[in-house]
Amino acid sequence: SAVGRGPEVPFSSDAYRITATSRGKELRLTLAPLGPGEPLHLVFRFGMSGSFRLCPAAQLPRHAHLCFRTRESPPRALCFVDPRRFGSWRLGDAWQQDRGPCVLTEYQAFRENVLKNLEDKAFDKPICEALLNQKFFNGIGNYLRSEILYRLKIPPFEKARTVLEALKDQEQARRKKNPSLTLSKKLKLMQENPDLLELCHTVPTEVITAEKNLFEPDHVDNYAAFKNWLQCYLVPGMSSLRDRNGRTIWFQGEPGPMAPKGQTPRRKRTQLKADPQALTPKVTTRASKRRPRAAVKPPKLAKEEKEAEGLKKGRARGRRKVTAAPALSEPKALVKARRSLRTSARRGRGEA
């Protein structure tokens, strides 16, 4: 598309196959021609709202910035959809150099990369901010960090080095105690008593294995399943603060010693569902706030007295500054009848 944040794709082929490989927050597509020709690689970054969607070619979704069409009849299109346009793609097969090992596919390398670099200045920051550093936590995003810290009851604004150095000491003590642990026993211990780095691997694995179409935005049931899986992020009763990067972190309990000054944690409230049958909201005027109106039955007056009384009430209402709900449309005959009553009331004002 004209507004897509990515270069032109110099690829043309009558028939080709698409395969994908992921690493952390990046995904690499390989376009391989079925006939003669060289394959082409594209590496995608998804931003906040990027995703791939397979749909009919005649009904492309909005914000589809790159489309690969099939040769079937009717044709379909594999689309890279990104409403906010934070995502992008680049040509070539190289992963971004400043990203560390993937928390999913390279767990051991990821763990060693964190523990051996604890002197890095990135760990001088709060743990919630360090978890978004893709140099060490490649694949962890905003909602994942909230879920990980919530499960371990770690304050989000505790110093990152303080939290991770404790893991380093625990790991050394575990090796001394059980030097001959098999892989199956290690996995069992990880499942029973996971630490922060282990949860960086298992929590996103839960999301991936939960449902294939979990993040399909047009499917209400899938989004509901994802919301039910969340334990902390956007959950009513949880508190939230903005970190120094402007990202909102959700947590429970105290924020920690490195919480930003001048902010008070906001608690998520339960939202009440609106009644679809309610046409207009209830409006409270200033007069009704000061004194409730008494329900008085009007006396039986003569025709002229009724018209004059209605005129006085109409003027009194005009002097009050209230905001009322918009009235429903009325038949023209009824409006004309009311105008004639007002006119006759003005003419007979002296008699009334």
Side-chain angles (χ1 to χ4, degrees):
S1 70
V3 295
R5 294 183 60 186
E8 293 289 336
V9 181
F11 182 80
S12 178
S13 178
D14 292 335
Y16 59 96
R17 180 179 290 109
I18 298 180
T19 56
T21 308
S22 65
R23 183 178 185 268
K25 284 195 170 187
E26 294 182 294
L27 181 137
R28 181 171 61 207
L29 286 189
T30 300
L31 313 179
L34 298 182
E38 295 295 325
L40 179 71
H41 303 280
L42 302 171
V43 177
F44 285 81
R45 295 176 63 182
F46 291 89
M48 293 180 66
S49 59
S51 65
F52 276 97
R53 200 178 307 177
L54 187 64
C55 58
Q59 301 174 1
L60 295 180
R62 292 185 62 190
H63 313 291
H65 301 303
L66 194 62
C67 300
F68 305 93
R69 300 174 186 271
T70 66
R71 294 188 64 185
E72 58 191 340
S73 182
R76 291 183 294 173
L78 178 67
C79 306
F80 177 65
V81 182
D82 187 13
R84 296 191 178 185
R85 289 188 297 156
F86 291 159
S88 61
W89 64 88
R90 64 181 184 275
L91 302 176
D93 61 347
W95 304 111
Q96 195 171 359
Q97 293 183 357
D98 58 349
R99 291 179 179 266
C102 177
V103 296
L104 284 170
T105 60
E106 303 166 303
Y107 170 69
Q108 288 299 330
F110 149 71
R111 187 180 184 90
E112 293 173 3
N113 183 47
V114 172
L115 294 179
K116 75 179 182 181
N117 290 294
L118 290 181
E119 297 301 323
D120 194 285
K121 62 180 181 180
F123 299 105
D124 293 333
K125 298 180 179 181
I127 185 62
C128 65
E129 296 179 13
L131 282 172
L132 294 184
N133 189 332
Q134 300 301 296
K135 182 180 178 181
F136 298 103
F137 297 90
N138 186 12
I140 300 300
N142 199 25
Y143 81 91
L144 285 173
R145 66 171 179 171
S146 298
E147 297 298 317
I148 291 167
L149 295 175
Y150 169 77
R151 294 191 185 190
L152 295 173
K153 308 302 178 187
I154 296 176
F157 291 95
E158 185 66 60
K159 192 173 183 178
R161 187 176 291 107
T162 304
V163 175
L164 295 169
E165 280 182 346
L167 301 186
K168 194 173 183 179
D169 297 338
Q170 291 174 8
E171 187 168 297
Q172 291 176 353
R174 186 187 300 175
R175 286 179 180 176
K176 290 180 180 179
K177 188 176 180 180
N178 300 305
S180 60
L181 280 178
T182 61
L183 180 60
S184 60
K185 290 183 178 180
K186 288 181 180 179
L187 291 174
K188 186 177 180 181
L189 284 174
M190 185 173 64
Q191 293 173 355
E192 292 175 352
N193 300 299
D195 59 29
L196 186 139
L197 297 180
E198 289 165 348
L199 284 183
C200 288
H201 173 75
T202 57
V203 172
T205 303
E206 289 179 14
V207 182
I208 293 173
T209 56
E211 192 175 348
K212 290 182 179 179
N213 298 322
L214 194 62
F215 295 107
E216 178 61 49
D218 295 334
H219 203 301
V220 179
D221 294 338
N222 292 330
Y223 182 66
F226 175 64
K227 287 188 69 175
N228 291 334
W229 175 84
L230 292 171
Q231 300 180 27
C232 179
Y233 184 77
L234 292 176
V235 174
M238 298 296 164
S239 302
S240 64
L241 278 175
R242 286 185 178 271
D243 61 20
R244 290 170 180 82
N245 298 320
R247 304 292 299 275
T248 302
I249 175 71
W250 295 84
F251 60 95
Q252 186 179 46
E254 295 297 324
M258 299 183 71
K261 296 181 180 179
Q263 289 192 52
T264 55
R266 284 192 257 179
R267 183 163 293 185
K268 175 79 172 177
R269 296 182 179 180
T270 305
Q271 296 181 353
L272 298 178
K273 294 183 179 180
D275 185 5
Q277 296 181 352
L279 297 178
T280 55
K282 294 182 179 180
V283 179
T284 305
T285 62
R286 294 180 181 176
S288 62
K289 287 183 179 180
R290 290 193 301 267
R291 182 182 60 192
R293 293 182 179 178
V296 180
K297 293 183 180 181
K300 293 183 181 181
L301 303 175
K303 183 177 181 180
E304 294 81 7
E305 291 176 345
K306 286 185 179 180
E307 293 170 353
E309 187 70 14
L311 181 61
K312 289 179 182 179
K313 289 182 179 180
R315 288 181 176 177
R317 290 194 190 98
R319 286 194 296 268
R320 295 181 191 142
K321 294 181 180 180
V322 298
T323 304
L328 299 176
S329 59
E330 298 178 347
K332 294 183 178 180
L334 181 59
V335 175
K336 290 182 179 179
R338 288 188 176 179
R339 287 178 181 172
S340 62
L341 287 175
R342 291 175 185 170
T343 306
S344 61
R346 291 193 194 100
R347 292 174 180 174
R349 192 180 302 164
E351 296 178 5

